[in-house]
Amino acid sequence: DADVTQTPRNRITKTGKRIMLECSQTKGHDRMYWYRQDPGLGLRLIYYSFDVKDINKGEISDGYSVSRQAQAKFSLSLESAIPNQTALYFCATSDSRARGGNQPQHFGDGTRLSIL
Amino acid sequence: GEDVEQSLFLSVREGDSSVINCTYTDSSSTYLYWYKQEPGAGLQLLTYIFSNMDMKQDQRLTVLLNKKDKHLSLRIADTQTGDSAIYFCAETLYGNNRLAFGKGNQVVVIP
């Protein structure tokens, strides 16, 4: 979905480095999410934000932090990357004001992160 | 709990129908969704069903919902090679605040 843009698309880095993954959206949605995807484990929620200044932990927030700089931007940071954080990371958005309460999430194309 | 169960792998011949199943947990889920993930891409919303419906048809896709058994299925008619992907079901949680995703079902279409 081109309306949700993730950068970078691929990143290889070393253990202990600080990494930031960026997400921006042009959909005008108020809610944003960060997930990681690992083979056989599906999608796991890391953090989510319902608006600027609202940050909530998901299932697996340890080792990660986020910043909602503006309604359209939500970044994910790994303060000191470790190899088991190697995964595919997805940003998603949803609109709490959607008609009838139907609030599907819309995904970016993902960031493939490898930590050596 | 938030466990959404899906079987992991399905192979199907081109032109046949394929059926992917999902079991969800939250009986108060308002919407249930099916997403498709092609290689190297994000999740694309395929279709959804509102919880007061038991069937929804959208071109080659048919969604069936059995609320009593908390069972959701996706049928793809006349499966094509472009349907090869991972399919995720998702349910709404906590009054529509979040989605819980299944682990995905990989569909491989054999020409």
Side-chain angles (χ1 to χ4, degrees):
Chain A
D1 191 332
D3 300 321
V4 183
T5 302
Q6 291 185 235
T7 55
R9 291 295 316 277
N10 292 281
R11 180 79 185 269
I12 300 173
T13 191
K14 294 182 179 178
T15 298
K17 293 290 189 183
R18 184 177 187 274
I19 310 295
M20 181 180 285
L21 308 184
E22 309 265 11
C23 178
S24 62
Q25 52 119 344
T26 58
K27 300 184 80 68
H29 289 174
D30 53 341
R31 297 182 171 185
M32 297 186 75
Y33 310 81
W34 275 104
Y35 293 90
R36 66 177 279 176
Q37 183 181 21
D38 299 275
L41 295 179
L43 286 169
R44 292 184 289 168
L45 183 63
I46 305 172
Y47 271 97
Y48 60 104
S49 168
F50 284 171
D51 206 342
V52 178
K53 298 182 184 178
D54 176 79
I55 301 291
N56 305 281
K57 292 183 177 181
E59 304 169 58
I60 52 162
S61 58
D62 288 350
Y64 300 94
S65 62
V66 291
S67 174
R68 186 83 184 267
Q69 302 95 321
Q71 188 180 53
K73 294 184 183 295
F74 193 35
S75 60
L76 175 73
S77 294
L78 288 66
E79 295 302 325
S80 178
I82 55 177
N84 75 3
Q85 292 177 310
T86 293
L88 187 53
Y89 289 84
F90 286 105
C91 174
T93 73
S94 68
D95 184 2
S96 68
R97 300 150 298 185
R99 183 178 175 183
N102 183 4
Q103 301 174 27
Q105 291 181 14
H106 301 265
F107 286 78
D109 284 337
T111 295
R112 187 167 296 279
L113 179 62
S114 298
I115 298 159
L116 307 177
Chain B
E2 300 182 11
D3 289 336
V4 180
E5 299 285 337
Q6 288 185 253
S7 53
L8 294 181
F9 184 82
L10 174 70
S11 67
V12 60
R13 293 206 173 273
E14 190 174 13
D16 288 351
S17 293
S18 46
V19 179
I20 307 163
N21 296 298
C22 171
T23 304
Y24 62 97
T25 58
D26 188 348
S27 59
S28 65
S29 286
T30 50
Y31 287 91
L32 295 116
Y33 301 96
W34 281 104
Y35 284 84
K36 175 184 181 183
Q37 184 184 26
E38 297 184 33
L43 277 70
Q44 170 197 355
L45 179 65
L46 264 186
T47 188
Y48 65 91
I49 189 165
F50 187 50
S51 58
N52 70 350
M53 300 168 65
D54 51 23
M55 186 182 89
K56 179 180 179 182
Q57 188 149 0
D58 185 358
Q59 300 182 356
R60 294 190 296 117
L61 305 177
T62 303
V63 180
L64 296 178
L65 175 60
N66 179 331
K67 287 193 71 176
K68 175 176 170 290
D69 296 335
K70 297 193 190 73
H71 184 262
L72 181 73
S73 68
L74 175 69
R75 179 178 180 270
I76 306 173
D78 184 26
T79 309
Q80 300 165 10
T81 54
D83 295 325
S84 291
I86 302 175
Y87 291 81
F88 293 91
C89 65
E91 60 170 333
T92 50
L93 292 176
Y94 309 130
N96 218 11
N97 280 344
R98 287 167 50 186
L99 293 183
F101 288 86
K103 291 181 171 51
N105 188 312
Q106 180 153 17
V107 173
V108 174
V109 181
I110 304 164

